[in-house]
Amino acid sequence: MTAPRRIVVGISGASGAVYGVALLRALRAMAGIESHLVVSDAGWLNIAHETELARPDVEALADVVHDNAAIGASIASGSFGAQGMVVAPCSMRTLAAIAHGLSDSLLTRAADVMLKERRRLVLLARESPLHLVHLRNMVTVTEMGAIVCPPMPAFYQRPRTVDDIVQHGVARTLDLLGLDNDLAPRWPGLPQKS
């Protein structure tokens, strides 16, 4: 029997909690995936404010839920063997902590583990506009091996709903993790002129 591929999902305190929730739903629907959830205190506040979901509803979407204060949890170690991690959304505070190696919570420690183990770390950085420190932190994590993937809509797909936009962002995130999905249509290319 093949062991499940483990994906860590972090939700921090930026607007866009719907991305983390939609990612958990997508992972739940995939065979052979084991999702591990860790949410910051501000992340829980945003989930409550931006969605109609209660904490138990969100926790039920993950295979394993970790307390952000439990710095000794399994996902805090490189020996845990997660395939990758996504922070969706990634606040500028969380980005700064990751960029500077401040493993002051389980979420930032798990991200630090992904970097030191050279595993995939995808950060759905959410802030606008950006000032110079935000940009420098994005450069720093990129140089360390993370992928900064702001959840920007792709209008070439002609989204009709907010859910269309979110699903496209989640599809791109899953692509970055190497997980096949059909959540959003693929770019077919422009018709060739005859």
Side-chain angles (χ1 to χ4, degrees):
M1 183 173 193
T2 305
R5 292 181 288 177
R6 296 166 169 162
I7 303 294
V8 179
V9 176
I11 299 177
S12 66
S15 182
V18 66
Y19 285 100
V21 171
L23 178 61
L24 287 169
R25 284 188 175 126
L27 293 171
R28 168 69 73 198
M30 294 181 158
I33 299 294
E34 180 182 283
S35 61
H36 288 254
L37 174 65
V38 58
V39 182
S40 70
D41 290 343
W44 285 121
L45 289 174
N46 276 2
I47 288 169
H49 183 72
E50 296 181 356
T51 75
E52 297 178 2
L53 299 173
R55 184 172 180 156
D57 299 325
V58 175
E59 290 178 338
L61 296 172
D63 293 301
V64 181
V65 179
H66 301 275
D67 184 328
N68 195 35
I71 201 71
S74 58
I75 61 173
S77 172
S79 66
F80 177 66
Q83 177 180 332
M85 178 175 180
V86 178
V87 183
C90 182
S91 69
M92 292 300 104
R93 185 248 175 259
T94 299
L95 172 68
I98 295 168
H100 297 281
L102 303 178
S103 300
D104 58 350
S105 70
L106 182 58
L107 194 157
T108 56
R109 172 61 187 163
D112 191 62
V113 166
M114 293 298 127
L115 292 172
K116 79 180 185 70
E117 298 293 330
R118 306 304 191 264
R119 296 181 188 146
R120 190 58 51 103
L121 175 62
V122 181
L123 306 176
L124 274 65
R126 174 57 189 89
E127 185 58 79
S128 182
L130 301 167
H131 63 60
L132 186 56
V133 171
H134 297 156
L135 296 168
R136 285 185 175 153
N137 286 337
M138 289 180 189
V139 169
T140 298
V141 297
T142 300
E143 290 173 340
M144 294 162 62
I147 297 173
V148 178
C149 181
M152 296 179 182
F155 291 106
Y156 62 82
Q157 292 196 340
R158 301 205 177 174
R160 297 184 193 281
T161 66
V162 171
D163 189 57
D164 290 344
I165 294 170
V166 171
Q167 290 303 308
H168 179 264
V170 172
R172 290 290 297 127
T173 302
L174 292 171
D175 287 347
L176 292 171
L177 291 171
L179 299 175
D180 291 333
N181 69 89
D182 59 1
L183 291 179
R186 301 291 175 176
W187 175 246
L190 294 173
Q192 297 295 317
K193 293 181 179 179
S194 47

